[in-house]
Amino acid sequence: MKSITTIAAAAAVAASAVPASAEITLKLSHYLPAVHGIQTDFIVPWTEQVSQCTNGEVKFEISPGGTQLGNVAKQQEQVLAGVVDIAHGLTGAPRGRFPRTSLIEMPFLSRDAGSATHALWSLYPTELKDEYKGLKVLALHAHNGGLLHTNGKHVETMEDMKGLRIRTPSPAVSEMLTYLGATPQALPPGEVYENLQRHVVDGTVFPWDPVKSFGLNEVLTDHLDAGFYTVSFFFVMNQKKYDNLPENVRKCIDDASGDNLVPKFADWWNKWDDAGKAEAEAAGHRITVVSEEERARWREALAPMLTKYLETAKTEGVSDPDALYKAFQDKVAEYEAAHPAK
């Protein structure tokens, strides 16, 4: 009769001869609703592309906004800690983690998602990479020029903004609003609806698309098309997790990301914004475009803010913010020269 030890050893050998399941499950989180284009047009197709490329070896668990892992302020720390493997988040939430990247959010620096995204991705290898230690950067991007949306308050000029409580998405936008006479209120996107409805805030700054995806047209009446700022985003993976994946999986992730992914954001943002604007028009809202004369006044009023912000960036570790800002300007101009406004 064989000993128990011998039987156990034989079983272990037999088990080792059976190949273990090759399936890999990666956790991915972001802070927007599951119905938002970030998930439906970008993240889900991206995961499907990677899964198909690996012949089903890789699967994904997606946690959007509203879930335990969907907190906007925790996307970077979650992926660094390995709580999730991949995350999409705002570079300005919370402040101070990406001071170099956040310079793209300066007033009137870019007109649209295409130019801002091009500038970010072009400068990532040489100017921004050090901010992403421990992270495999899959994409950086930005949204189209933001608007001011209000509930019962019509705004056309700086004077109309005086004293208005406006929800802000980032430190740079907060400073802009302050210099324009408004009182910035920091709120996560998911809390804007309730605060507009209860008149805790008078308005919010967003591009058109979140207005639709968060249902805000129900609690808004006026929209000022100013195009005076943008907000930047990261799409990153835990570097150690990436490094430990099989070579074929890493290649599939690379092929779906970077230069093959970044150029898609311009058309995506246009599509998402068109839907938000169309909904506001159908609701009979008042949409006002900032005049060129008023835009010039805003630029003049915001000039001291830019100077101050660049000085503050030095205290946050940006060695030469003026040179970096100029580099962003040059990359934006490069894109605009190749893609003239229609």
Side-chain angles (χ1 to χ4, degrees):
M1 185 174 181
K2 294 182 179 180
S3 70
I4 294 177
T5 303
T6 303
I7 294 172
V13 171
S16 66
V18 178
S21 172
E23 185 175 296
I24 298 167
T25 299
L26 298 177
K27 296 180 179 180
L28 190 159
S29 67
H30 66 92
Y31 69 95
L32 289 159
V35 297
H36 191 282
I38 285 289
Q39 172 151 330
T40 60
D41 294 340
F42 157 35
I43 288 177
V44 169
W46 184 88
T47 61
E48 291 173 345
Q49 180 180 345
V50 173
S51 293
Q52 183 176 5
C53 177
T54 62
N55 295 316
E57 181 180 352
V58 175
K59 298 186 183 302
F60 292 87
E61 293 178 359
I62 301 174
S63 298
T67 65
Q68 185 177 5
L69 297 174
N71 187 318
V72 65
K74 294 184 177 180
Q75 295 310 306
Q76 183 212 24
E77 65 184 57
Q78 286 175 171
V79 75
L80 277 172
V83 176
V84 299
D85 303 304
I86 301 168
H88 179 268
L90 282 169
T91 57
R95 178 172 185 160
R97 296 188 180 185
F98 304 100
R100 298 181 69 81
T101 305
S102 295
L103 286 187
I104 193 63
E105 301 180 5
M106 291 298 95
F108 300 109
L109 176 55
S110 61
R111 73 177 186 217
D112 55 32
S115 59
T117 298
H118 171 76
L120 285 166
W121 194 241
S122 297
L123 294 176
Y124 166 70
T126 57
E127 303 293 341
L128 310 178
K129 191 172 184 178
D130 286 349
E131 293 192 327
Y132 298 87
K133 291 177 180 177
L135 299 170
K136 165 72 174 177
V137 178
L138 306 174
L140 298 177
H141 67 102
H143 67 48
N144 283 329
L147 298 84
L148 175 67
H149 312 273
T150 48
N151 181 7
K153 307 285 186 179
H154 179 61
V155 177
E156 288 191 37
T157 68
M158 281 190 296
E159 288 72 22
D160 296 330
M161 293 181 69
K162 188 174 182 180
L164 293 185
R165 297 159 298 175
I166 305 297
R167 176 264 173 186
T168 175
S170 71
V173 177
S174 295
E175 299 236 12
M176 284 183 244
L177 291 170
T178 299
Y179 273 81
L180 293 170
T183 302
Q185 307 286 313
L187 286 172
E191 296 180 16
V192 176
Y193 185 105
E194 180 183 359
N195 281 275
L196 281 167
Q197 187 178 47
R198 294 167 51 210
H199 297 282
V200 175
V201 295
D202 300 301
T204 182
V205 287
F206 272 131
W208 277 113
D209 84 280
V211 171
K212 176 176 172 59
S213 58
F214 286 101
L216 300 182
N217 275 317
E218 297 175 6
V219 288
L220 293 169
T221 59
D222 290 74
H223 311 267
L224 182 65
D225 188 348
F228 65 112
Y229 80 97
T230 191
V231 164
S232 52
F233 307 83
F234 57 79
F235 184 47
V236 297
M237 184 171 188
N238 180 286
Q239 184 70 57
K240 289 182 180 178
K241 183 69 175 184
Y242 172 85
D243 291 340
N244 288 328
L245 290 172
E247 182 179 355
N248 69 304
V249 175
R250 296 198 305 271
K251 184 178 187 308
C252 287
I253 289 173
D254 291 346
D255 288 347
S257 309
D259 292 342
N260 294 323
L261 172 62
V262 168
K264 298 178 182 179
F265 285 102
D267 288 340
W268 280 335
W269 281 111
N270 289 338
K271 173 187 173 181
W272 303 334
D273 281 348
D274 286 347
K277 183 178 182 181
E279 185 181 76
E281 290 172 334
H285 294 181
R286 181 163 40 181
I287 300 173
T288 306
V289 178
V290 173
S291 68
E292 288 304 314
E293 294 78 13
E294 185 64 18
R295 185 179 295 273
R297 293 182 65 217
W298 286 33
R299 286 181 181 274
E300 183 178 357
L302 291 170
M305 172 256 161
L306 174 59
T307 301
K308 179 184 175 183
Y309 198 92
L310 293 177
E311 283 298 318
T312 301
K314 292 180 182 178
T315 68
E316 295 178 336
V318 183
S319 58
D320 193 346
D322 295 278
L324 179 56
Y325 180 69
K326 178 62 166 58
F328 272 126
Q329 287 180 309
D330 291 344
K331 289 300 180 181
V332 167
E334 176 182 271
Y335 182 90
E336 292 180 347
H339 302 80
K342 296 180 181 178

